[in-house]
Amino acid sequence: MSATTPWITDDLVIFQDSIRRFIAAEIAPHEERWWKQQHVDRDAWLKAGEFGMLLPSIPEEYGGGGGTFAHDAIITMEQARALTTSLGTNVHSGIVAHYLLRYGSEEQKHRWLPKMARGELVAAIAMSEPGAGSDLKNIKTRAVRDGDEYVINGSKTFITNGYHADLVCVVTKTDPEKGAKGVSIIMVETRDLPGYRCGRILEKMGQKGQDTTELFFDNVRVPCANLLGPEEGKGFIQLMQQLPQERMIIALGALASMEKAIELTADYVRDRKVFGQSLLDMQHTRFKLAECKTIATVARSFVDDCMVKVLKDELSAETAAMAKWWCTQMNCQIIDECLQLHGGYGYMMEYPIARMYVNSRVGKIYGGSNEIMKELVARTL
Ligand SMILES: Cc1cc2nc3c(=O)[nH]c(=O)nc-3n(C[C@H](O)[C@H](O)[C@H](O)COP(=O)(O)OP(=O)(O)OC[C@H]3O[C@@H](n4cnc5c(N)ncnc54)[C@H](O)[C@@H]3O)c2cc1C
């Protein structure tokens, strides 16, 4: 990234530089250990909060950094560039905080956002269930009103930050008869909450330091005041309004990742000698990397254009869907080509390209699978 990127102002260049240094000093050195233990250390959240890495785009009156989505974008891209996938800031700052900012009451915002900004509360969003991922209208988790409380029953799976989560944005059915109009989002504070249980940390093929878990709700009682939005039945609309931002976050991460893969591979093939010459001097290598660089440059141009639109609140849902599916698809394609150029070393986990290969694959699946993205685009034909 450079200062010539249309959405990166001089102030953002300074922010980017400080985030890069923080990641190098406080996150990257622990990544290997976090992969083994399957979650980050709890104090990593506190350190990130203290540094100002959490909730950068939330207004200062709620404890945030007072910036814009560009700040979230920079954190996402810097984490991708540094190959650090464990600290789930995208979900915490880029997604849950914005649900609260947009739909939360003043009481809810003041109660949760400052603690999230300090890293004292870790947030997750729980949409997916064992029986419903793409087909969110079909979720079974039920919230039944009982006096001034909701009683929640159900289970969620694949929940990012699940192990550390103190605050979960839970997508429930408050009225199963009404389909999408019966979906509501309820904020659940999990600490010492009877009936709430976090299941095992799921063993993934990549992003292993990221605590992805199942969550169980067995007659969990929360105050009705924890409903997000003024009334029940707004959950599906809230999801549809917020998902484009989530999709841009995934596209931005994929873009930074493809650029990094090309950079790493160009360095590798320059040094690697085969048949008496540098691997980079062979035309096949040069053409492959030229193709990769062309795709990454096209991706950067498209994503920059999307970012300019996001910052003006003009990005359409279908354009966000295009950015998400195409950038994640191209990221996987480029990393596969780059891994091939590493030969056997590319298959060894000590080489960053091998990590990138397993880390990138999920981009085509989560945040709405790429098939669902194409459905969204196709509906506008
Ligand atoms: C590492 C990881 C982290 C995640 N984090 C979270 C999280 O924090 N919170 C959360 O709620 N969820 C999370 N998810 C879940 C993720 O969003 C879902 O896995 C995803 O939406 C797909 O749902 P599914 O797994 O149930 O697949 P399914 O919906 O069963 O889909 C299976 C296949 O069918 C295809 N398919 C489905 N419907 C259609 C259709 N209409 N047309 C064509 N093809 C279709 C899909 O594209 C896919 O290829 C995470 C997943 C992973 C792997």
Side-chain angles (χ1 to χ4, degrees):
M1 262 189 282
S2 75
T4 56
T5 306
W7 52 275
I8 299 192
T9 59
D10 291 346
D11 282 354
L12 282 166
V13 172
I14 296 167
F15 178 74
Q16 180 183 31
D17 187 53
S18 71
I19 289 293
R20 189 172 291 177
R21 280 189 276 115
F22 178 77
I23 291 172
E26 299 291 346
I27 297 184
H30 305 290
E31 195 67 13
E32 187 66 36
R33 189 168 52 78
W34 291 343
W35 266 55
K36 292 202 175 97
Q37 71 185 23
Q38 293 186 299
H39 58 84
V40 302
D41 299 331
R42 182 67 201 213
D43 75 353
W45 284 103
L46 296 172
K47 281 186 190 161
E50 200 178 332
F51 187 76
M53 189 175 166
L54 304 179
L55 276 54
S57 58
I58 295 296
E60 287 171 8
E61 61 176 306
Y62 304 120
T68 67
F69 181 63
H71 291 80
D72 291 309
I74 280 174
I75 292 171
T76 299
M77 295 188 87
E78 288 306 317
Q79 290 241 58
R81 278 194 61 77
L83 311 181
T84 56
T85 54
S86 300
L87 190 70
T89 51
N90 288 342
V91 165
H92 179 90
S93 305
I95 299 173
V96 180
H98 283 272
Y99 274 85
L100 281 171
L101 182 67
R102 180 140 180 206
Y103 311 112
S105 64
E106 279 306 306
E107 198 274 329
Q108 289 174 335
K109 289 188 231 189
H110 282 290
R111 180 144 145 234
W112 292 316
L113 290 171
K115 286 186 185 160
M116 284 173 65
R118 293 195 294 269
E120 291 163 14
L121 276 186
V122 175
I125 181 158
M127 302 176 267
S128 307
E129 298 184 358
S134 305
D135 185 11
L136 273 182
K137 285 190 199 106
N138 203 27
I139 57 162
K140 297 282 179 278
T141 297
R142 182 91 166 84
V144 178
R145 219 181 158 127
D146 181 26
D148 56 4
E149 287 181 328
Y150 282 112
V151 182
I152 304 177
N153 279 289
S155 64
K156 298 287 180 181
T157 193
F158 304 140
I159 306 309
T160 301
N161 293 345
Y163 173 76
H164 281 306
D166 313 287
L167 183 66
V168 185
C169 193
V170 183
V171 181
T172 66
K173 279 268 174 78
T174 39
D175 189 344
E177 308 298 313
K178 285 193 181 156
K181 289 192 177 140
V183 175
S184 302
I185 300 179
I186 298 173
M187 304 303 299
V188 175
E189 288 176 278
T190 64
R191 269 185 215 165
D192 304 320
L193 180 65
Y196 172 82
R197 188 165 63 83
C198 172
R200 68 197 167 93
I201 299 181
L202 300 169
E203 186 165 356
K204 306 189 293 296
M205 66 187 279
Q207 304 198 4
K208 287 173 185 275
Q210 169 59 246
D211 48 314
T212 308
T213 66
E214 298 169 301
L215 302 179
F216 300 97
F217 302 83
D218 184 10
N219 286 320
V220 164
R221 286 182 169 268
V222 299
C224 288
N226 285 17
L227 178 75
L228 206 57
E231 60 206 39
E232 290 178 5
K234 298 287 178 217
F236 209 74
I237 298 167
Q238 292 165 347
L239 288 170
M240 292 307 111
Q241 286 170 339
Q242 292 298 302
L243 281 169
Q245 178 155 322
E246 180 175 350
R247 286 164 189 160
M248 272 317 297
I249 290 174
I250 297 172
L252 286 155
L255 169 63
S257 164
M258 58 180 104
E259 290 177 343
K260 180 73 178 182
I262 296 165
E263 189 184 306
L264 284 171
T265 307
D267 287 345
Y268 179 83
V269 294
R270 194 174 290 115
D271 290 345
R272 180 72 175 167
K273 298 285 178 289
V274 286
F275 297 96
Q277 59 179 323
S278 163
L279 185 51
L280 181 59
D281 291 335
M282 300 191 130
Q283 193 180 51
H284 174 80
T285 309
R286 301 174 69 75
F287 282 10
K288 277 292 165 202
L289 284 176
E291 286 168 16
C292 291
K293 188 167 179 180
T294 305
I295 292 169
T297 304
V298 173
R300 156 113 6 224
S301 178
F302 179 40
V303 168
D304 281 347
D305 185 57
C306 290
M307 277 302 293
V308 171
K309 291 194 170 102
V310 173
L311 295 170
K312 289 197 269 182
D313 207 12
E314 289 175 359
L315 186 76
S316 68
E318 75 259 25
T319 310
M322 287 178 199
K324 193 269 174 184
W325 89 255
W326 192 73
C327 288
T328 54
Q329 175 80 26
M330 291 304 115
N331 186 33
C332 288
Q333 185 177 313
I334 285 175
I335 290 173
D336 187 50
E337 298 283 15
C338 287
L339 188 148
Q340 186 70 14
L341 290 173
H342 280 71
Y345 297 97
Y347 200 65
M348 299 299 132
M349 290 308 278
E350 68 207 69
Y351 278 74
I353 199 70
R355 289 274 169 113
M356 296 182 82
Y357 186 81
V358 290
N359 286 340
S360 61
R361 185 60 181 83
V362 75
K364 296 200 279 186
I365 298 167
Y366 64 14
S369 72
N370 283 4
E371 291 71 31
I372 296 297
M373 296 304 100
K374 290 174 198 173
E375 265 299 318
L376 293 176
V377 177
R379 276 180 212 164
T380 67
L381 292 172

